[in-house]
Amino acid sequence: MNNLMKWAGLLSLMLLIARPSLAQDSTSISVVGSGIVNALVEAMAEQGGQEPLDISTVGTATGIDRFCSGNIDLATAIRPMSPAERAICGSNEVAFSELLIGHRIVAFVAHADAPLECLTETQALAILKPSASGVATDWSFAGDEEADLPLSLILPSDVLLEFAIADELVPGDGLRRDAGEYDDADDALAKVAETVGALALVGWQESLADLESVALLAYDKGDAGDCALPAAESVEQERYDAAISMFVYVNRERMASNQRVFDMLQFVTDADNQGRLPLLDATPPSAARYEMNARALVEEAALVDASDFQIPGVLTGSVRIVGAASAFDVLNRAATTLTQNSEGLAIDLDFAGQTNGIAALCAREADIALLDSDLGDSDLAACADGEIFTMTTRLGSQATVLLGNAADEHTRCLTTDQVNTVWGAESADIVTSWSGVDASFPDMGMTLFGLTLLDQSTDILLQTAADVIPPIRRDTEMDFNPLYRAAAVGNVPGALTYLNWGDYQRVIDNQQTNIQLVAVDGGAGCVIPSPTTIENGSYALARQATLLILQESLSDINTQSYLWTLFSADNWLNVEREGFVGLTALELPAVRQELQRWFTEAEAIQAASDETAADETSEQEGTEAGGSG
C-alpha cells in the first residue's frame, strides 16, 4: 500500500538531481506537489513550447499546503483537495480552480480464452495479496470448475508506476512475490497472448481494446455487480479504482496577472491536444471533464473553491420546500445544519406529492420543489402562464436492493410482480414458502428480514405495486442494522432482505460472505443494481430526486444558503449514506459553480425589476404631483 508514496519519492529525487537549477529561475511558472503529475505537466509544457518551469516535487499534501500560502502558481496532486485543505486556502483568501489533466490506469489483461470477462474486487485481492504467493496458483477463484487451469500471473516490476497503482488495491505492503515480472508492457502482452491461463496488469491504452490476441477484463469495484472496463469515464464516475487521477490547482489571482500561466494551462487542458497524452503514458480526461477544465480557466469564479459566496453567520426569514417526500431525510438534515445557528430562520418542509409541489411553486407559494419523476409536457404550464421561471438541479437517484442467500438459485433474479408478492401486506402469513411466490420455485421456507412502512427503502421497494402507497407485510423479522440483516441472510437458506445502496456498501465493506445481490426484472430482463443502472433507471427499484427551484427565490440569501449547505462537501457524506448515487463528491464543485452563477443572474434580474418598479413609482408620484398642482 505504501509503494505509491515510495514511487513518488523516488521520482522526486530524480527530478531534483536532474534539474537543480530550476528553483533559481524566479521568472518561471512555479509548480509544487506530486512528482507523478509534475512529470506530465513538465512534458506537456515542453510540447507546448513553454519555457522551463520552476518545479518543486514534495508530494501532494505538502504541495497543496504550500500552494495555499498564496505564493505558488500551480499545485499538482494525485487526489482531489480535501475539505480541510480547501478551508486552509479559503482562510488565506486563495481562490483557485481545479483541473483534471489525465489519468494513469491499470488494466487487467488475460489470455484470449480466459474463463471470465469481469474480475471482482474479491477475486483480484485473492490473487494479488502477498499471502497468495504459492497458494493462489490456479483459476479456481473464477469457479471450482476452473481449478485445473494454472494461473500464470504477470505483474509490473516495482519500479513502475503500474505496480504502485496495483498495490493501492491490496491491503498490506506490496504484491505477491512469486508472479512473473516485466519492465516492458509489450513483453507482458506477448507473454499473455501465448500462455493459456495468463493474467497481467499493464498500463491502459485505448489500443488494448482492439487487440484480438488477449482479453481485456472488466473490473467490479466493491463486488457491486457493476463491471466497468478501464476508461476515463469509469475512473471519473468512481466505478474503476485501479487508477490514479492527476490534478492541477491554479491560483486564480496569479494566473490573472501572468498570461504565461494561462497559456500553458490552456494548452495542457485543450481537448485538441489529448492525442499527446497516450504518448506520455497518460489517459486523457473525459469530454465532460475537458469542458469543465475549459470553464475553470475562463470563468472568474474558482470552480472548486467558489469562495465568493459565504453563508451569513445569522439568517432570518424562511424557505419553503414542497413536493415528493422521497428525500425528506436528506433535505431535513441540511435544514437542521443551516438553522442550528440561526433561530430566526424557518425552513418549512411540506411534502404533499410532486403534482401539488409543482402547483405551489408555480403559484409562488414555495421556493423549492422535490421531484421524484420526470416532468411532463404540461407540468409547468401554470408557471409558463404566469411567466414564472424555474431552474432544476439533480440530487441523484436512490434504490432499494435485495440480498438473498448465495445458494438460492431462485432469488438470483426476481420480477417486480414477484417482489410485490413477497413483500406485499396481503402475503402475510399466507405466502410463507418460495413455491407460493412462483410455482417454478422450490418448496423452501421463506425467511424475510424487513423494515418499517415509513422507511424510504420500503417505499421504493413497493413502488411498482398497484396501490399508490402499498403497505409492507408485518410478519417479517425487523431489524434496522443492515449488517445484521445481511449476516442473517447469509446464514439462512431461503432468506431475503432489502436495504438502500449506501447500506449495501457497508455490507460489502464488512466483507459479508454467502450473500448475493438480486437482479430485478422490470419487464426488460434481469438487471443487477449498480450506480449506472440505478442512475439511468434501467434498475426497476430506483427513484430519482431532482430539485425544481423558483428562479426569483435564487436571489434570496436564505434559499441560496440552503442550497449551498445541501451541496457542500461535508453534507454530501450524509446524502451518500442515504444511498444516493449519480452525483459524486468530485462533481460538487461544478454544481456549486452553477449555483453561484444562478445566484448572480437572479440577483441581477431582481435588481433590474426593483429599479423598474422604483422608476414607475417615481413617475406615478410625479404625475400625481403635477396633476394636483
Side-chain angles (χ1 to χ4, degrees):
M1 291 287 285
N2 297 321
N3 280 281
L4 193 57
M5 297 292 291
K6 295 175 184 176
W7 198 96
L10 177 61
L11 180 59
S12 171
L13 180 61
M14 292 169 63
L15 288 173
L16 289 173
I17 294 173
R19 293 180 172 82
S21 62
L22 287 181
Q24 308 301 317
D25 185 0
S26 61
T27 64
S28 295
I29 298 171
S30 55
V31 183
V32 61
S34 163
I36 296 170
V37 189
N38 284 349
L40 179 62
V41 170
E42 184 175 26
M44 289 291 286
E46 289 175 355
Q47 291 193 13
Q50 297 288 329
E51 296 180 20
L53 308 177
D54 179 1
I55 291 182
S56 178
T57 299
V58 295
T60 292
T62 301
I64 291 174
D65 185 61
R66 293 186 184 179
F67 172 79
C68 287
S69 69
N71 300 316
I72 303 292
D73 295 313
L74 308 176
T76 57
I78 56 172
R79 58 166 174 78
M81 267 198 198
S82 69
E85 289 166 337
R86 294 175 187 174
I88 293 172
C89 274
S91 65
N92 292 331
E93 298 185 348
V94 176
F96 61 89
S97 289
E98 176 188 88
L99 310 170
L100 175 58
I101 65 170
H103 307 281
R104 290 290 294 269
I105 307 175
V106 169
F108 297 89
V109 179
H111 185 267
D113 294 330
L116 50 70
E117 297 180 351
C118 178
L119 189 70
T120 68
E121 183 175 311
T122 295
Q123 291 169 337
L125 293 179
I127 60 176
L128 294 177
K129 60 187 179 182
S131 60
S133 299
V135 178
T137 57
D138 57 51
W139 281 76
S140 58
F141 65 89
D144 293 339
E145 65 276 10
E146 306 298 339
D148 293 334
L149 179 61
L151 173 64
S152 179
L153 189 61
I154 306 171
L155 300 178
S157 67
D158 60 7
V159 298
L160 298 178
L161 180 56
E162 286 76 13
F163 181 93
I165 295 172
D167 181 35
E168 289 295 298
L169 300 175
V170 181
D173 188 11
L175 305 174
R176 61 186 296 172
R177 297 300 182 184
D178 62 340
E181 186 177 285
Y182 71 86
D183 290 306
D184 185 282
D186 290 337
D187 292 341
L189 291 172
K191 184 72 172 177
V192 171
E194 66 186 24
T195 308
V196 177
L199 175 64
L201 277 68
V202 299
W204 159 250
Q205 298 286 352
E206 280 194 17
S207 58
L208 287 178
D210 299 325
L211 292 180
E212 297 181 357
S213 57
V214 297
L216 180 64
L217 303 185
Y219 181 64
D220 180 6
K221 175 187 173 184
D223 296 1
D226 181 27
C227 292
L229 287 167
E233 291 80 2
S234 301
V235 174
E236 291 166 20
Q237 293 167 4
E238 299 184 0
R239 299 173 57 210
Y240 193 96
D241 60 355
I244 60 169
S245 297
M246 295 178 278
F247 296 88
V248 172
Y249 292 90
V250 55
N251 183 312
R252 295 199 65 84
E253 182 178 357
R254 292 175 69 89
M255 182 174 67
S257 62
N258 188 344
Q259 183 67 30
R260 288 181 56 212
V261 175
F262 178 83
D263 291 343
M264 189 202 78
L265 291 177
Q266 190 174 46
F267 179 85
V268 170
T269 60
D270 188 343
D272 292 339
N273 295 323
Q274 61 181 300
R276 301 171 186 263
L277 290 176
L279 301 176
L280 302 172
D281 295 324
T283 297
S286 66
R289 196 65 201 215
Y290 269 117
E291 182 179 344
M292 289 174 63
N293 286 341
R295 288 175 53 201
L297 280 180
V298 300
E299 293 186 3
E300 292 184 4
L303 183 58
V304 169
D305 195 38
S307 56
D308 289 349
F309 182 83
Q310 298 292 330
I311 297 176
V314 178
L315 293 164
T316 58
S318 64
V319 178
R320 186 168 185 241
I321 305 172
V322 297
S326 53
F328 172 82
D329 291 340
V330 166
L331 300 180
N332 186 55
R333 188 174 286 111
T336 301
T337 299
L338 185 61
T339 57
Q340 61 186 356
N341 294 321
S342 296
E343 295 182 358
L345 175 64
I347 298 181
D348 178 20
L349 284 78
D350 184 10
F351 297 120
Q354 175 168 310
T355 301
N356 292 331
I358 294 174
L361 193 81
C362 291
R364 290 192 172 94
E365 296 172 355
D367 304 291
I368 300 170
L370 177 66
L371 313 179
D372 61 4
S373 61
D374 293 333
L375 286 169
D377 293 338
S378 61
D379 284 341
L380 295 180
C383 280
D385 291 344
E387 296 186 350
I388 296 171
F389 300 99
T390 59
M391 314 296 286
T392 58
T393 188
R394 64 188 178 116
L395 270 177
S397 296
Q398 286 177 295
T400 294
V401 301
L402 296 160
L403 284 185
N405 186 281
D408 295 342
E409 292 289 336
H410 56 281
T411 57
R412 295 198 184 282
C413 178
L414 297 173
T415 67
T416 51
D417 286 343
Q418 290 167 345
V419 171
N420 294 330
T421 297
V422 170
W423 294 103
E426 64 277 7
S427 296
D429 300 321
I430 298 175
V431 181
T432 57
S433 70
W434 283 102
S435 59
V437 177
D438 192 287
S440 65
F441 289 172
D443 189 18
M444 174 187 290
M446 177 189 295
T447 305
L448 302 178
F449 297 90
L451 292 167
T452 68
L453 173 62
L454 299 178
D455 192 274
Q456 293 291 337
S457 296
T458 301
D459 197 32
I460 297 173
L461 175 73
L462 295 176
Q463 68 181 7
T464 62
D467 297 329
V468 177
I469 306 177
I472 194 75
R473 64 187 295 170
R474 307 299 298 170
D475 60 338
T476 64
E477 298 287 339
M478 293 283 185
D479 194 282
F480 292 99
N481 186 340
L483 301 183
Y484 169 82
R485 300 201 311 276
V489 166
N491 289 324
V492 180
L496 191 69
T497 191
Y498 62 92
L499 58 167
N500 69 34
W501 185 256
D503 284 341
Y504 174 64
Q505 300 311 303
R506 290 177 57 195
V507 170
I508 293 301
D509 291 341
N510 196 49
Q511 299 183 347
Q512 177 61 51
T513 59
N514 204 38
I515 58 172
Q516 64 176 335
L517 197 57
V518 178
V520 176
D521 183 353
C526 297
V527 177
I528 290 283
S530 70
T532 300
T533 60
I534 292 170
E535 178 65 9
N536 65 26
S538 59
Y539 177 67
L541 305 184
R543 183 166 59 194
Q544 69 182 49
T546 302
L547 298 182
L548 182 70
I549 309 166
L550 191 66
Q551 186 187 52
E552 57 198 62
S553 294
L554 288 166
S555 65
D556 177 66
I557 188 62
N558 296 318
T559 302
Q560 293 175 353
S561 298
Y562 177 79
L563 291 170
W564 203 259
T565 300
L566 180 63
F567 288 102
S568 68
D570 290 341
N571 184 66
W572 208 248
L573 295 174
N574 298 322
V575 178
E576 291 176 335
R577 288 192 191 102
E578 292 295 328
F580 278 87
V581 301
L583 183 62
T584 68
L586 187 63
E587 298 172 277
L588 290 180
V591 174
R592 292 194 293 269
Q593 176 75 4
E594 188 78 352
L595 287 176
Q596 196 169 24
R597 184 174 65 81
W598 290 353
F599 298 166
T600 302
E601 291 176 353
E603 289 168 356
I605 293 171
Q606 186 62 48
S609 176
D610 292 344
E611 184 176 351
T612 299
D615 290 343
E616 291 175 351
T617 299
S618 178
E619 291 176 4
Q620 183 178 359
E621 291 175 347
T623 301
E624 292 174 351
S628 63

